[in-house]
Amino acid sequence: MNAMDLPIVVGVDGSEPSLRAVDWAADEAVLRGLPLRLVYASLWERYEGDALAHELGRPSEQVRAEDIVTAAARRAHRRRADVKVLTDSLPEEPEYALVRESRTAALLVTGTRGRGGMAEALLGSVSLTVAGHAHCPMVVVRGGHDNAVRPGGRIVVGVGEGAPVRFAFEEARLRGASVEAVRAWRSPARETTDHPLLAGEPARLHEQEAAQALEKALEKALRGMPADVEVHRRVVEGHARTVLADASRDADLLIVGARRRPRHFGLQLGRVAHGVLHHSLCPVAVVPERDG
């Protein structure tokens, strides 16, 4: 499949957070000129199905996958009548299904949490697991407003390696938005001012180093890209996850990176991505960064 034809995939489960993710993804699909693929994955149909639904006294339509994706498709068309929508239901664990879907997706989108027993968690286990293993950029739709993708606005990116920065500028170009490139810095816990380089203003030295690192990272990441996006540079003292969560206030999108280490199993998000996925006040994009 041509990269230009790859769909935006949304994991849906009938919950309100997943339907808000459909809204966001429908806007994004129209913006990018891509189809929208709505996927419901669950082992419910394989092991329980309508018989158990009847036993529980629940209408079968509440637990049938085709009704969940159909309702999500209606929601997408109400949001954007011009979006092309595809649907699928998969009898398997949602974590595995969505990670596999991410191999042939331009973007993967989920809500913050579903309807399971982890409802009290800040971020549902499915979204958190998939964010740690997705092969394409993944957006977790957070925030108290309607999360609409609007022209203009402000995109925040935590600047480390290049992939999140390039994604931020591409997204800003699509929206006509500005980019706020943020680099957090901290003085070592046991800082000493006895060293000649640190005498007098040790904190200022670390701030200058952060500013230089930010500039170098931007230059490297944007080499060869058109300079047609307004960018604001910020270096802020504090933990990166706290700094970025604070910067997400009134932002349209917050972008961070996640390491992908070949042949390494387990959570690969890191503390920064993990923290902002729990505490951001706007949608969060997690962009894969591969070692080696």
Side-chain angles (χ1 to χ4, degrees):
M1 182 181 290
N2 189 296
M4 297 298 293
D5 298 326
L6 293 177
I8 293 178
V9 175
V10 189
V12 298
D13 62 4
S15 67
E16 183 58 30
S18 81
L19 292 176
R20 287 198 296 269
V22 170
D23 290 343
W24 190 95
D27 288 348
E28 184 77 10
V30 170
L31 195 64
R32 292 176 176 231
L34 296 177
L36 187 65
R37 176 170 161 81
L38 307 177
V39 175
Y40 171 76
S42 174
L43 292 179
W44 174 278
E45 294 280 11
R46 175 178 292 177
Y47 296 125
E48 286 97 1
D50 291 347
L52 182 56
H54 178 75
E55 181 71 19
L56 294 174
R58 296 175 60 192
S60 61
E61 61 267 19
Q62 290 185 5
V63 295
R64 294 186 61 181
E66 57 266 32
D67 292 314
I68 290 177
V69 294
T70 297
R74 285 198 300 267
R75 174 92 169 218
H77 280 131
R78 282 199 302 270
R79 180 75 169 197
R80 300 299 299 252
D82 50 345
V83 68
K84 179 181 179 181
V85 178
L86 311 168
T87 63
D88 203 358
S89 56
L90 305 171
E92 57 186 304
E93 293 285 2
E95 295 91 335
Y96 299 125
L98 292 177
V99 170
R100 189 185 64 251
E101 289 282 329
S102 74
R103 292 182 179 274
T104 54
L107 190 66
L108 180 64
V109 183
T110 69
T112 51
R113 56 179 179 259
R115 300 180 298 177
M118 293 294 290
E120 75 282 0
L122 291 169
L123 185 70
S125 59
V126 171
S127 292
L128 195 60
T129 299
V130 176
H133 295 88
H135 298 275
C136 69
M138 175 181 174
V139 173
V140 177
V141 177
R142 298 188 56 87
H145 49 81
D146 68 357
N147 292 315
V149 175
R150 302 182 181 88
R154 169 174 158 264
I155 292 174
V156 176
V157 57
V159 176
E161 298 301 322
V165 175
R166 289 189 293 273
F167 182 86
F169 275 72
E170 290 164 359
E171 191 70 19
R173 191 171 292 111
L174 285 170
R175 301 179 183 209
S178 64
V179 169
E180 183 174 312
V182 179
R183 180 92 176 196
W185 64 274
R186 298 183 67 214
S187 296
R190 300 196 177 193
E191 186 74 283
T192 173
T193 57
D194 294 336
H195 192 286
L197 292 178
L198 301 179
E201 296 183 303
R204 185 175 178 181
L205 175 64
H206 291 294
E207 184 177 13
Q208 290 174 342
E209 289 175 342
Q212 291 168 358
L214 172 61
E215 198 62 41
K216 183 177 179 179
L218 287 175
E219 180 181 352
K220 180 180 178 181
L222 302 177
R223 193 170 296 143
M225 293 184 68
D228 56 352
V229 172
E230 180 182 355
V231 56
H232 304 278
R233 297 157 172 82
R234 286 184 61 207
V235 291
V236 184
E237 183 178 12
H239 290 284
R241 56 188 181 274
T242 303
V243 167
L244 291 172
D246 289 344
S248 72
R249 192 179 305 275
D250 299 324
D252 295 281
L253 184 65
L254 170 61
I255 301 169
V256 294
R259 286 293 179 191
R260 294 292 183 272
R261 289 163 287 184
R263 297 177 297 278
H264 178 85
F265 182 78
L267 189 64
Q268 300 184 50
L269 285 176
R271 288 177 293 179
V272 175
H274 190 277
V276 299
L277 281 169
H278 281 289
H279 300 294
S280 174
L281 299 174
C282 72
V284 177
V286 179
V287 179
E289 300 178 273
R290 299 186 183 279
D291 288 341

